[in-house]
Amino acid sequence: MSEQELKALRVRIDSLDEKVLELISERARCAQEVARVKMASLAEGEVPVFYRPEREAQVLKRVMERNKGPLGNEEMARLFREIMSSCLALEQPLKVAYLGPEGTFTQAAAMKHFGHAVISKPMAAIDEVFREVAAGAVNFGVVPVENSTEGAVNHTLDSFLEHDMVICGEVELRIHHHLLVGENTKTDSISRIYSHAQSLAQCRKWLDAHYPNVERIAVSSNAEAAKRVKGEWNSAAIAGDMAAGLYGLTRLAEKIEDRPDNSTRFLMIGNQEVPPTGDDKTSIIVSMSNRPGALHELLVPFHENGIDLTRIETRPSRSGKWTYVFFIDFAGHHRDPLVKSVLEQISQEAVALKVLGSYPKAVL
Ligand SMILES: O=C(O)C(=O)C[C@]1(C(=O)O)C=C[C@@H](O)C=C1
C-alpha cells in the first residue's frame, strides 16, 4: 500500500470518527432527556428507576440482529454495551458490588453485564455481596452461581435462603485459566501453585500431568492467588487475564482448563423487578414435604405445560435435618399466564415457594 493510499484512508477514518462522535453525543443527550422524563412522571414518593435491564436486552438484541459485519455480532454488541453503560451513568451512576478482590472473574462478569461506567466495589465473600445489596449500599450485586465443570456455587444458593433478593439478570463467561508467574519466579523451582479451589479443580488433569508433585494451595480467589505470587520466587498462580494484567504476571502456560468449554454463570442481584422481554428466565426456590414422589409432583406441571426447565439444584433447607429445597430455573417470565398457572399449581403442593426473579436471558 502506498503512503498516499494510507493517508487517504486515515482522512476517511477521521471524518467517520467525527460522525460517530456526534452520533454518540446525540444518543447521550437523548438518555439525559429520558432521565428527565422519568423524573417528571414520578408519582408522589415514587423512586425513579433509571436502569432498565429489559430495555438494555432489547437494544443489544436489535444491534445483533441488524449488524451486517464485518465486525461480529458479539463484538458490536460489546461496543453498544459500553455506550449504553456511559449513557446510563449520565442518568444515574450505578454502584455494583461483586465477589472480589479486583481481578476476579466475577468482576469481569460485572463489566460484561453492566459495562465499565459503573462504580464497582469488591467484597471479600459472597455473603457480603448479598449484605451490601440488602443494606442499600449498592444498587446491584454480582455473584457466581454455577460452573459447567464443577457445578453449583453453594455459597450463593445458600445466601438466597438467608436474604430477600431479586435476580435481575444473568451473564455467562467463558473461563480461561493460565499458569501465571512473576518476574522473579524461578520457573524450574516452582513448589507451590495457588488458586481458588474451584479453579484448581477445573485444571486438575493438567496439573496432574505437568506439576504432579507441586503443592496446590487453595486461597479465597484467583486474584488473591495472583497477588501472593507477585512477592514469591517459587510459586505460581492459576488465574485469568484480568488478574494477570492487574498484578503484572506473565503466562507460563495458557488455557490450562481441562474442559475447553469451561464456563461460569453469574447472577445480578438487587431489589428491582424486571418486566418481561419475551425471552426471559425465572428462578424459584421450592421446599416440598419429605415424602415419596414429592419431586415428581413438583416437576409434572412444568412438563405438562411445555415449560423448559434449564436447571434444578438441591440444597439442605437449613431449617430441619434431612429436609431440602429445590432451586429451579426455567424459561419464561412469572407474569406470563402459563407460568403463573404452573406456579399456582406448584404452590398448592409445596411447603413454600419463592420467586427469586424473572430476568432477560443473557444476550452477550
Ligand atoms: O430507555 C431507557 O429507559 C434509558 O434509560 C436509556 C438507556 C439507553 O442508553 O439506551 C439507558 C439506560 C437503561 O438501562 C436503558 C436504556
Side-chain angles (χ1 to χ4, degrees), residues 27-28 30-32 34-35 38 49-57 59 80-81 83-89 91 94 272:
R27 193 190 191 287
C30 217
Q32 284 176 315
V34 170
K38 284 178 185 169
V49 182
F50 294 111
Y51 174 60
R52 297 285 170 88
E54 76 287 3
R55 172 67 184 153
E56 297 209 346
V59 170
F80 275 81
R81 163 65 291 152
I83 292 173
M84 220 165 14
S85 177
S86 299
C87 287
L88 174 63
E91 295 186 43
L94 277 193
Q272 183 178 324

Side-chain angles (χ1 to χ4, degrees), residues 113-141:
H113 187 82
F114 290 105
H116 284 71
V118 294
I119 301 162
S120 59
K121 194 169 173 190
M123 307 306 295
I126 286 173
D127 188 55
E128 282 186 32
V129 177
F130 276 77
R131 271 190 269 144
E132 198 71 358
V133 179
V138 292
N139 305 95
F140 295 97

Side-chain angles (χ1 to χ4, degrees), residues 288 297 305 349:
M288 300 292 283
E297 271 171 34
N305 289 280
E349 303 297 332

Side-chain angles (χ1 to χ4, degrees), residues 51-348:
Y51 174 60
R52 297 285 170 88
E54 76 287 3
R55 172 67 184 153
E56 297 209 346
Q58 274 167 4
V59 170
L60 296 178
K61 268 198 181 152
R62 210 174 117 93
V63 163
M64 290 168 105
E65 278 160 17
R66 293 180 175 225
N67 177 40
K68 295 197 184 83
L71 290 181
N73 284 352
E74 286 222 353
E75 196 54 49
M76 194 57 106
R78 262 203 295 276
L79 294 174
F80 275 81
R81 163 65 291 152
E82 289 304 330
I83 292 173
M84 220 165 14
S85 177
S86 299
C87 287
L88 174 63
L90 285 177
E91 295 186 43
Q92 172 203 34
L94 277 193
K95 287 193 203 126
V96 176
Y98 63 92
L99 175 62
E102 259 194 284
T104 54
F105 286 111
T106 312
Q107 186 184 18
M111 298 301 118
K112 185 175 177 187
H113 187 82
F114 290 105
H116 284 71
V118 294
I119 301 162
S120 59
K121 194 169 173 190
M123 307 306 295
I126 286 173
D127 188 55
E128 282 186 32
V129 177
F130 276 77
R131 271 190 269 144
E132 198 71 358
V133 179
V138 292
N139 305 95
F140 295 97
V142 185
V143 287
V145 68
E146 58 175 324
N147 173 265
S148 59
T149 314
E150 283 303 296
V153 180
N154 292 332
H155 280 146
T156 294
L157 297 184
D158 292 346
S159 296
F160 278 114
L161 299 176
E162 280 161 30
H163 299 269
D164 261 332
M165 227 19 88
V166 180
I167 302 176
C168 340
E170 61 165 4
V171 70
E172 206 179 297
L173 209 64
R174 211 26 116 67
I175 304 291
H176 293 304
H177 291 303
H178 314 302
L179 187 71
L180 303 174
V181 291
E183 47 187 29
N184 300 325
T185 310
K186 294 200 166 68
T187 54
D188 50 0
S189 314
I190 290 172
S191 61
R192 284 182 210 145
I193 295 180
Y194 296 111
S195 196
H196 189 270
Q198 282 240 354
S199 309
L200 289 170
Q202 288 162 25
C203 304
R204 189 183 298 125
K205 284 191 198 145
W206 188 91
L207 286 167
D208 288 347
H210 295 86
Y211 290 91
N213 301 318
V214 166
E215 190 186 1
R216 298 171 199 178
I217 302 174
V219 292
S220 59
S221 70
N222 296 343
E224 172 61 29
K227 200 166 156 186
R228 287 200 189 195
V229 162
K230 210 172 150 50
E232 297 180 11
W233 61 269
N234 59 342
S235 60
I238 293 177
D241 289 320
M242 249 179 126
L246 195 65
Y247 295 102
L249 303 181
T250 53
R251 297 167 183 74
L252 198 57
E254 290 193 348
K255 297 186 180 172
I256 60 170
E257 58 279 2
D258 295 332
R259 293 180 58 96
D261 57 355
N262 186 33
S263 304
T264 297
R265 184 169 161 254
F266 299 83
L267 295 176
M268 317 300 134
I269 53 171
N271 37 44
Q272 183 178 324
E273 273 245 4
V274 185
T277 65
D279 193 14
D280 304 293
K281 256 190 193 175
T282 297
S283 300
I284 59 172
I285 308 182
V286 191
S287 72
M288 300 292 283
S289 61
N290 202 359
R291 58 186 155 78
L295 179 58
H296 177 74
E297 271 171 34
L298 170 61
L299 298 181
V300 163
F302 288 103
H303 175 66
E304 283 179 349
N305 289 280
I307 292 182
D308 185 18
L309 289 183
T310 52
R311 174 165 168 259
I312 176 159
E313 222 56 81
T314 313
R315 294 290 300 150
S317 72
R318 299 184 150 197
S319 59
K321 198 175 168 193
W322 308 127
T323 60
Y324 297 91
V325 293
F326 300 103
F327 285 81
I328 299 176
D329 289 353
F330 56 89
H333 194 284
H334 71 89
R335 287 195 211 155
D336 299 344
L338 194 65
V339 172
K340 250 184 170 170
S341 104
V342 167
L343 293 179
E344 271 159 25
Q345 286 174 55
I346 293 171
S347 63
Q348 280 161 17

